[in-house]
Each structure stands twice: as structure tokens, then as C-alpha cells.
């Protein structure tokens, strides 16, 4: 899986080079998750939709180590709660918002 790059310091060992196949698979997973987010969360609106996806993705990683996958499973509960609240505020029903976040959590596996 695609992992977030490690921050290097003067005392840290250089990290091994990325494996291209693993990087490509990880990027494809993020792209597929982004496409699902755009279809499930379209109620959040046009041009800021990708920004909402990035916010959700970063908050989904809350509390994980730098070596964790880009798409942790399960995503942090706060990420789904905040996204559901945004979707309801944008006019989506509570049930539809819950279904949208559940679909994202399922895809993040």
C-alpha cells in the first residue's frame, strides 16, 4: 500500500526507494476512493469537492504513524462524523449521509 513519506532528519537512516508497482497500486486506490467520494458526496458542491475529499482523507489518518498507509482502515471515526455533519448541512438526509460515509469506509479497506 502507498504510505506517507517519512520526514527525514539528519540522524535518520535514508528510507528505501519506493517500489513502483506498490506506488502505482496505492495511487490507483486513492484515485478510486476520490471518484467514490465525488459521486457519494456531490451534495457538498462543485469546485470545493476535492478540497473536502482531501480534508476527509487527512482527518481519516488522524492518530496514525507516518509509516501508516495513506488510506487507513478503518478511517478515524472523527473523519466520518465530520463528513456526515457536512453532508447533512449541505441538504443530504441523515440516512443518505450515513450510507455515503459507510461506502467510503468500505472502499478504504
Amino acid at each position: 500500500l502507498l504510505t506517507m513519506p517519512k520526514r527525514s532528519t539528519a540522524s535518520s537512516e535514508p528510507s528505501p526507494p519506493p517500489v513502483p508497482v506498490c506506488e502505482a497500486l496505492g495511487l490507483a486506490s486513492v484515485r478510486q476512493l476520490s471518484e467514490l467520494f465525488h459521486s457519494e458526496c456531490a451534495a457538498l458542491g462543485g469546485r470545493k469537492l476535492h478540497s473536502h475529499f482531501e480534508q476527509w482523507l487527512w482527518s481519516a489518518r488522524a492518530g496514525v504513524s507516518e509509516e501508516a498507509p495513506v488510506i487507513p482502515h478503518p478511517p478515524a471515526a472523527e473523519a466520518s462524523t465530520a463528513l456526515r455533519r457536512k453532508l447533512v448541512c449541505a441538504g443530504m438526509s441523515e440516512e443518505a449521509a450515513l450510507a455515503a460515509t459507510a461506502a467510503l469506509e468500505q472502499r478504504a479497506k
Side-chain angles (χ1 to χ4, degrees):
L1 280 178
L2 183 67
T3 57
M4 292 300 290
K6 216 176 177 183
R7 291 187 183 109
S8 62
T9 62
S11 63
S12 69
E13 303 258 334
S15 43
V19 177
V21 170
C22 292
E23 293 292 312
L25 289 172
L27 290 172
S29 293
V30 171
R31 182 180 43 78
Q32 291 169 357
L33 187 60
S34 173
E35 289 169 358
L36 178 63
F37 186 95
H38 282 72
S39 67
E40 292 289 330
C41 302
L44 294 175
R47 61 188 184 119
K48 296 227 175 190
L49 191 55
H50 191 75
S51 176
H52 286 292
F53 170 68
E54 289 176 337
Q55 289 171 2
W56 174 80
L57 188 58
W58 279 108
S59 61
R61 292 181 41 77
V64 297
S65 72
E66 288 186 28
E67 295 284 327
V70 170
I71 307 171
H73 186 76
E78 301 83 33
S80 295
T81 302
L83 180 58
R84 267 196 306 278
R85 191 175 20 231
K86 286 180 184 180
L87 290 169
V88 169
C89 286
M92 191 179 267
S93 72
E94 183 69 38
E95 295 79 22
L98 186 59
T101 56
L104 291 168
E105 290 170 2
Q106 181 64 30
R107 178 63 190 95
K109 282 186 179 180

